[in-house]
Amino acid sequence: MIILAVESSCDESSVAVLKDYKEVLSHIVLSQIDIHKVYGGVVPEIASRNHVVHMTRVFEQAILNAGIKESDIDLVAVTRGPGLIGSLLVGINAATAFAFAHQKPIIGINHLIGHIYAANLEHEMKFPALALLVSGGHTELIYMEKHMSFKMLGTTFDDAVGEAYDKVARTLGLSYPGGPIVDKLAALGKDTYNLPRPFLDKTKFDFSFSGLKSAVINLVHNAEQRNETIDVNNMCASFQASVLDVLIEKTRLAADTYDVKQIIVAGGVAANRGLRARIHQEIPNREIIMPSMKYCTDNAAMIGAAAFYYNDAVGPLPNYLLGGSSTLNIEEL
Ligand code: KG4
Ligand code: ZN
């Protein structure tokens, strides 16, 4: 099955062509990060407008690189949410127009399910599995009994972990997106600031990161008032140590409670080098899979990977309609 997949939920215009769920024939990701950097975050209206400018070219390049003809495509898949509504609409309209013009079936894929299935591109999912989904908008522990079955075990009560990374970075005068920079500087510093480990004492699987973020902001502001300097590397190391202590401990607890065969770590924050190293060391008794770095942040290949199983689970959908989740409980995400 040849799948043409489209992702435009935030500031990446991405199209990929996949053969079944494993073979990525082409994969284009056009990032707008340099445009949004000057504003310290993604500006939704600017993101939508740039998707409009580039989307057709990204489609053409992906098909060209895959070495296929439009008629070879069996299924079109597009991110249907969650995300920035203007950005989503550009991808959905482009994919729907393409499907209509070439008489192909089209399905809508949940962005978070896409992130989880990114792990299946280079590994084999085994069930029951536990997914730790950590991105700019989400922090979730999800139990998967089988393909396309999702039970939310825990989520964040406030900030998502990636969002906390970005806000802490901004407070420290680092550029956007903050996650990769904080991760890099954390490796150069030490955990000296004694930050809180939010919710670590709770037996539930929920998270909270706004208190931790506020702790960093308060320390930075107090230091400014006293004309003291903050050791940025040590602050990054302290923040990251606190985040990882919580993420890894909750993941370990959920994996033990549900006795899963595999742990899947996915989403933009899964690119975190500290997390990738520590989770293997601290949960040595379970198989842990995660996408390679290029499939952690937003990309269309992950949407194609999920589409293969979604199509399999739901069966053929009416042509030209974005598939709903009907019998599946994926709406929970
Ligand atoms: O999955 P993603 O590309 O977009 C969303 O769906 O949100 O995730 C983007 C988030 C940003 O908050 C970014 O700072 C964070 O992932 N991120 C990281 C790293 N790389 C990206 N956070 C921590 N460490 C990283 N290495
Ligand atoms: Zn994402």
Side-chain angles (χ1 to χ4, degrees):
M1 175 186 269
I2 302 285
I3 301 172
L4 178 95
V6 183
E7 153 66 37
S8 71
S9 64
C10 191
D11 61 335
E12 271 93 15
S13 317
S14 181
V15 178
V17 178
L18 275 79
K19 185 156 181 253
D20 299 335
Y21 66 99
K22 283 253 176 268
E23 207 180 326
V24 181
L25 302 180
S26 69
H27 185 216
I28 309 284
V29 183
L30 194 78
S31 171
Q32 302 176 15
I33 277 183
D34 288 341
I35 298 168
H36 297 278
K37 237 180 199 151
V38 290
Y39 305 101
V42 176
V43 183
E45 178 64 17
I46 295 176
S48 320
R49 284 170 183 265
N50 274 285
H51 284 307
V52 172
V53 172
H54 299 296
M55 194 51 94
T56 310
R57 196 161 54 91
V58 176
F59 263 72
E60 286 169 358
Q61 195 64 50
I63 292 167
L64 191 74
N65 289 8
I68 57 153
K69 302 184 293 300
E70 280 86 348
S71 56
D72 297 330
I73 294 166
D74 299 301
L75 178 70
V76 178
V78 58
T79 305
R80 69 181 170 92
L84 303 174
I85 190 65
S87 290
L88 285 164
L89 277 172
V90 179
I92 291 170
N93 277 311
T96 309
F98 182 92
F100 185 76
H102 297 283
Q103 304 268 304
K104 306 290 178 189
I106 177 167
I107 55 173
I109 296 291
N110 180 297
H111 181 76
L112 306 184
I113 294 176
H115 270 305
I116 294 172
Y117 273 81
N120 204 47
L121 284 167
E122 298 147 308
H123 309 274
E124 206 69 53
M125 281 180 176
K126 291 178 193 155
F127 301 103
L130 174 75
L132 171 67
L133 178 59
V134 275
S135 74
H138 293 268
T139 311
E140 259 110 41
L141 277 167
I142 297 162
Y143 177 75
M144 291 180 72
E145 198 189 320
K146 56 183 195 301
H147 275 299
M148 287 292 145
S149 154
F150 308 94
K151 182 179 173 212
M152 180 108 77
L153 303 180
T155 186
T156 177
F157 284 149
D158 38 60
D159 290 12
V161 63
E163 187 185 355
Y165 263 98
D166 295 337
K167 286 180 181 162
V168 161
R170 199 194 311 196
T171 306
L172 294 172
L174 307 171
S175 78
Y176 176 84
I181 306 166
V182 172
D183 186 16
K184 203 167 132 203
L185 299 183
L188 307 172
K190 289 201 177 69
D191 177 11
T192 55
Y193 279 100
N194 202 16
L195 296 171
R197 266 59 176 164
F199 280 27
L200 202 53
D201 51 335
K202 305 260 194 317
T203 49
K204 286 278 171 56
F205 306 121
D206 292 313
F207 301 94
S208 164
F209 292 105
S210 88
L212 174 60
K213 174 196 70 186
S214 302
V216 175
I217 293 172
N218 289 341
L219 281 171
V220 171
H221 288 173
N222 288 346
E224 274 168 8
Q225 278 164 3
R226 291 198 211 106
N227 255 342
E228 292 167 6
T229 48
I230 287 282
D231 185 318
V232 174
N233 292 355
N234 285 354
M235 184 58 89
C236 289
S238 303
F239 173 74
Q240 180 144 309
S242 174
V243 166
L244 298 190
D245 278 359
V246 176
L247 289 181
I248 295 170
E249 182 52 24
K250 297 258 171 187
T251 304
R252 194 193 56 70
L253 187 67
D256 287 351
T257 306
Y258 288 85
D259 195 19
V260 295
K261 278 217 180 74
Q262 194 179 61
I263 296 172
I264 301 162
V265 186
V269 182
N272 187 277
R273 286 169 203 278
L275 174 61
R276 294 173 88 89
R278 273 189 56 183
I279 197 162
H280 281 294
Q281 285 161 12
E282 292 172 33
I283 313 183
N285 59 330
R286 297 197 191 265
E287 184 184 351
I288 303 172
I289 62 167
M290 43 189 103
S292 58
M293 302 290 249
K294 66 175 181 238
Y295 296 131
C296 282
T297 44
D298 292 349
N299 68 86
M302 68 186 198
I303 301 302
F308 179 84
Y309 284 100
Y310 186 90
N311 195 50
D312 204 39
V314 180
L317 287 155
N319 280 6
Y320 320 127
L321 290 179
L322 291 176
S325 60
S326 55
T327 55
L328 299 167
N329 60 348
I330 54 179
E331 287 298 2
E332 281 179 23
L333 292 179

